[in-house]
Amino acid sequence: MRGRQQDSPDPKGSDSRSLQNKVASLAALLTSGRSYFRERCLSDGVWVQRPEELLKMQTSFPPWLCPALLFSLCSIWIFISPLLALPGASEYLHRGWQRLLEEGESCADCLSEECPTPRGCLAGVVKDTCDCCFECANLEGQICDLDNTNHFYGKCGDNLECQLDMGDLGHGEVPEPQCICLSGTAICGSDGKTHSQICKFMEVVNAHPEANLTVIHEGPCESAPQILSPPYDIWNVTGQDVIFGCEVFAYPMAFIEWRKDGTDMLLPGDDPHISVQFRGGPQKYEVTGWLQIQEVRTTDEGTYHCFARNKFGETVATASLTVLTPDQLNMTGLSLPKPRHQLFEDDEESEYGDDYY
């Protein structure tokens, strides 16, 4: 999982600063108006009667306006004074995180009988921040608290541990703590299915409590092959290459064979333009086989079968190949499928190497 990008300038913080500047300007105007009011209207609690300004006051600033101006100034000041004390968005968030970090959330007396019952918790339950009520634990891959507290992101569930993900970080990214499963060993469940590890098995257990699933043993369940990704129908033009793929899960590992309708011979046989390749993966206890036909001919057209077998059984999947001549392609108005020059990249190795052949 990639870490998150470092914080960038907050546009909301910029808007907050703009609002504060406007409010501060208004406050300055009000302060000037209040001084003007004191000079023109009040002096030691009595009305000002200055002969040289008496005519001006009578025409532009009548005495009866002073009480109304006083009331307006006080009302506006009471409204904007709290706004002047508001911190910016980034400062507010910093204070909030700092308060949570230093003080924590206040916890009242624990009344467990009033706690709600958590539901749908695939990773199990953990105690909340106040160590009182149960709540859903974090799943594998979710962000968590490294100090095993429950203040910010939460605690990991059973068989999980909060670790820093230091791999696959891009430039400017910082690692994030996430829940990691403590075991990578496959599990055979009482449902007869192989689960990749204990954490995935427990997710199934918690999702279906009515099934009462249990662990039969560590390691995969012995089973007949299952074709996870069958070959698909293909069409192409003479002279082009085509590839069929077949991905199979089984334990013990399955053996894959390719056949074509109308022939008893296993492919590739002695035909030099047909080849077969296999490798383990892409997941544990899986094997993938490919059938490649180079420079297809019209005689290659037909139905091909992928057989997968082990000592517990056999399964099969089929796909058809349609071969057109260039003249037939022109009549259809179709475009050629994208070529695949190789079965898989040379530098891309199976996740599990040769251990699963």
Side-chain angles (χ1 to χ4, degrees), residues 239-242 272-275 292-297 300:
Q240 300 295 318
D241 297 345
V242 296
H273 82 298
I274 298 178
S275 59
Q292 182 178 29
I293 306 175
Q294 295 178 316
E295 299 181 356
V296 292
R297 312 160 187 165
D300 294 322

Side-chain angles (χ1 to χ4, degrees), residues 255-307:
F255 179 72
I256 296 178
E257 298 175 344
W258 290 94
R259 295 179 183 268
K260 182 185 177 185
D261 268 357
T263 63
D264 296 329
M265 185 184 300
L266 291 177
L267 298 175
D270 58 357
D271 196 328
H273 82 298
I274 298 178
S275 59
V276 171
Q277 296 189 28
F278 306 94
R279 72 166 182 175
Q283 301 297 326
K284 273 188 176 182
Y285 316 112
E286 293 179 7
V287 62
T288 302
W290 293 271
L291 172 68
Q292 182 178 29
I293 306 175
Q294 295 178 316
E295 299 181 356
V296 292
R297 312 160 187 165
T298 55
T299 55
D300 294 322
E301 188 171 88
T303 302
Y304 292 81
H305 305 271
C306 169
F307 290 90

Side-chain angles (χ1 to χ4, degrees), residues 296-329:
V296 292
R297 312 160 187 165
T298 55
T299 55
D300 294 322
E301 188 171 88
T303 302
Y304 292 81
H305 305 271
C306 169
F307 290 90
R309 63 167 60 93
N310 66 6
K311 65 180 182 179
F312 293 102
E314 177 182 286
T315 186
V316 62
T318 63
S320 65
L321 170 62
T322 302
V323 181
L324 303 178
T325 64
D327 291 339
Q328 291 173 327
L329 178 65

